[in-house]
Amino acid sequence: MPATVAILSGIVEPALVITLILAVVFCVDRGRAALKEPSRYRFALGLDSILFLVAGLLTLVVLGSLASPGDSKLFRLGLSGFSGADVVPSYLIILWCISLATLPIPRGRGKVTSAFSRLEARTAIAMGLMGAVGLALSLTVSRFEVFSNRGETTGNGLNSLLYWAAAAFVSYVITAWRRGDGKLYLFAAAAASLGLLATGNRSPLALIAIAVVVRIIADHRTKLFLVVALSVPIGLLVFAYQSAWRSRVSHGLPSGPIDVLSAISANPTQEFLRLGFDTVEGHTLVSRILEAGYDARWLDPLLAVTNFVPRALWEGKPVLLGSEIGNQYLGLSAGGIFLSGPGYFALVTGSVALGAIVFVAFILGLRWLASRPSLAPIGLVAVFYLTIRIVVAGDAFDIFLSVQIFAIFLIARGLGWLLPWSR
């Protein structure tokens, strides 16, 4: 409310600062409430805390766009007539969406133990082996080739599934490991995390961070929660480093640690705007597209499951909206620009207002699902991951990634029964 009134009155920057402060306050408040709540409802409160954190980060993005509009993605991609101030209306809509999505929901029943369940040795070993193969395949390709072709390659579904199995394995160990399960799992998870860091992909690292948060909430680890909360700036620095590293490698520039850190420190605003929070700009783009009369496609979210079908078996497989819009309006290749959850649902429904309503209902549904006592740990991590992805990015592809996490778990559980050894 303060942000809306102030911004509509033309007082933009002070309103953004006030909103940033309020977002941090609400983030801390919901985080503390999550650690004290004895029922599964604590995970809904944990999601609230993360949503308010995202609101704060989006506020920083908008401040950066106003301070340096030339560094924003839509400006760099040459969208006609775009300026940094164009994101303000979309920012207000998204801010209201996040606020309404954190309204109270029915509390789930059942208390949470210190850990959800014992780690299944067969499943963990099978998932770890899948991830090891995926990491090996990924690291055998030069980083220049990977980063230069980022968003352009298709038809690597199996490699991607195996690669993501490494992140799913680490997440599974974090959420399910208990004393007595053997420290070898922890060492393997640490090695897999370093391997994922070396690939330059931030999304698996975000999944691992989410798994840590889920475990902290489950175990009432108040002090550890404070450590993680204070580590947010470090996490943003890691993300900025990965982004700057990819950019310098793909352009053939010196890409050692000193070179990358020097590039970040030389223009921190630019690097922060490259972090991948396409929420506000994605919604701004969609608003323009809808004004031009774009034909809505209601069934696009269901296309997430088609990513499991190889294009070699289905030549006419529909292209996801993110890729279609990025190619048609911005000249991007297969990767496209991510639309943001509110923007994506606005595009799907053909209306900004209806898209906001669907987005709020979608997040409320995910929060309700997170509070169900029957949801498995890896499923809970997938729900947290989808909640964040659909806010900061948002496309059928983001839905697919979360479904893939749970699919990897089920595949590993099936393959585990073929292993000749287990604990």
Side-chain angles (χ1 to χ4, degrees):
M1 289 289 290
T4 303
V5 173
I7 289 176
L8 292 179
S9 302
I11 311 174
V12 179
E13 283 83 358
L16 293 174
V17 174
I18 292 172
T19 305
L20 176 61
I21 295 172
L22 290 176
V24 173
V25 170
F26 288 136
C27 174
V28 173
D29 177 69
R30 291 297 174 92
R32 292 181 60 190
L35 293 173
K36 294 179 181 179
E37 172 64 36
S39 73
R40 283 287 294 233
Y41 187 71
R42 69 173 59 189
F43 294 110
L45 294 173
L47 277 177
D48 289 352
S49 180
I50 293 176
L51 286 170
F52 283 123
L53 173 62
V54 171
L57 293 175
L58 293 181
T59 304
L60 287 174
V61 169
V62 175
L63 283 169
S65 297
L66 295 177
S68 183
D71 291 327
S72 52
K73 178 174 282 189
L74 290 181
F75 185 90
R76 286 186 281 112
L77 292 173
L79 183 66
S80 176
F82 175 79
S83 67
D86 292 341
V87 302
V88 174
S90 289
Y91 167 75
L92 278 180
I93 293 173
I94 293 168
L95 193 63
W96 273 100
C97 284
I98 292 176
S99 298
L100 293 174
T102 55
L103 289 172
I105 60 173
R107 290 176 177 265
R109 297 178 180 178
K111 292 189 176 182
V112 181
T113 58
S114 59
F116 304 96
S117 61
R118 298 287 298 192
L119 182 143
E120 300 175 6
R122 291 178 182 267
T123 302
I125 293 172
M127 199 183 305
L129 291 175
M130 290 168 59
V133 173
L135 279 177
L137 292 174
S138 176
L139 293 173
T140 54
V141 183
S142 71
R143 294 303 91 192
F144 175 78
E145 182 178 345
V146 172
F147 298 160
S148 298
N149 297 323
R150 180 175 170 81
E152 299 179 3
T153 56
T154 57
N156 60 345
L158 180 59
N159 289 351
S160 176
L161 185 140
L162 293 173
Y163 171 79
W164 274 90
F169 165 73
V170 177
S171 300
Y172 180 59
V173 171
I174 289 173
T175 55
W177 186 88
R178 289 195 294 178
R179 289 183 180 179
D181 285 330
K183 293 185 178 180
L184 181 60
Y185 295 107
L186 297 180
F187 289 123
S193 299
L194 292 175
L196 290 167
L197 183 65
T199 63
N201 191 350
R202 300 168 302 185
S203 297
L205 300 179
L207 178 67
I208 293 171
I210 290 169
V212 171
V213 172
V214 168
R215 184 60 186 262
I216 289 172
I217 295 174
D219 288 356
H220 297 275
R221 301 294 292 273
T222 306
K223 292 183 179 180
L224 189 55
F225 183 82
L226 179 61
V227 172
V228 171
L230 295 176
S231 301
V232 169
I234 298 177
L236 294 176
L237 177 60
V238 171
F239 271 41
Y241 183 93
Q242 298 285 74
S243 178
W245 178 38
R246 287 201 307 248
S247 176
R248 296 185 70 83
V249 170
S250 60
H251 289 87
L253 300 173
S255 55
I258 301 300
D259 301 309
V260 176
L261 291 174
S262 298
I264 294 174
S265 60
N267 193 344
T269 300
Q270 181 188 61
E271 296 309 323
F272 185 78
L273 290 175
R274 291 177 183 269
L275 282 178
F277 296 104
D278 298 326
T279 310
V280 180
E281 290 184 80
H283 191 276
T284 304
L285 175 64
V286 168
S287 299
R288 289 199 177 191
I289 293 172
L290 289 177
E291 290 177 0
Y294 185 84
D295 188 20
R297 202 165 70 197
W298 275 85
L299 295 179
D300 191 80
L302 300 180
L303 296 181
V305 298
T306 65
N307 266 11
F308 289 104
V309 182
R311 193 168 291 276
L313 299 179
W314 185 7
E315 292 186 5
K317 186 169 70 171
V319 177
L320 301 182
L321 277 178
S323 297
E324 183 179 304
I325 295 301
N327 179 267
Q328 183 175 345
Y329 290 91
L330 301 173
L332 297 175
S333 54
I337 184 174
F338 291 108
L339 302 174
S340 86
Y344 175 65
F345 287 117
L347 197 60
V348 168
T349 61
S351 165
V352 171
L354 189 55
I357 293 172
V358 173
F359 171 79
V360 171
F362 187 80
I363 298 299
L364 288 173
L366 290 175
R367 291 174 60 228
W368 176 86
L369 184 60
S371 67
R372 298 304 93 189
S374 58
L375 189 63
I378 197 70
L380 186 58
V381 172
V383 167
F384 267 65
Y385 189 64
L386 176 55
T387 303
I388 298 172
R389 290 279 310 197
I390 206 68
V391 176
V392 302
D395 195 349
F397 177 71
D398 299 280
I399 300 173
F400 161 75
L401 283 180
S402 293
V403 174
Q404 180 180 242
I405 295 165
F406 199 67
I408 290 170
F409 174 74
L410 295 178
I411 293 172
R413 175 174 281 183
L415 292 175
W417 290 103
L418 302 178
L419 295 175
W421 71 90
S422 67
R423 286 196 50 187

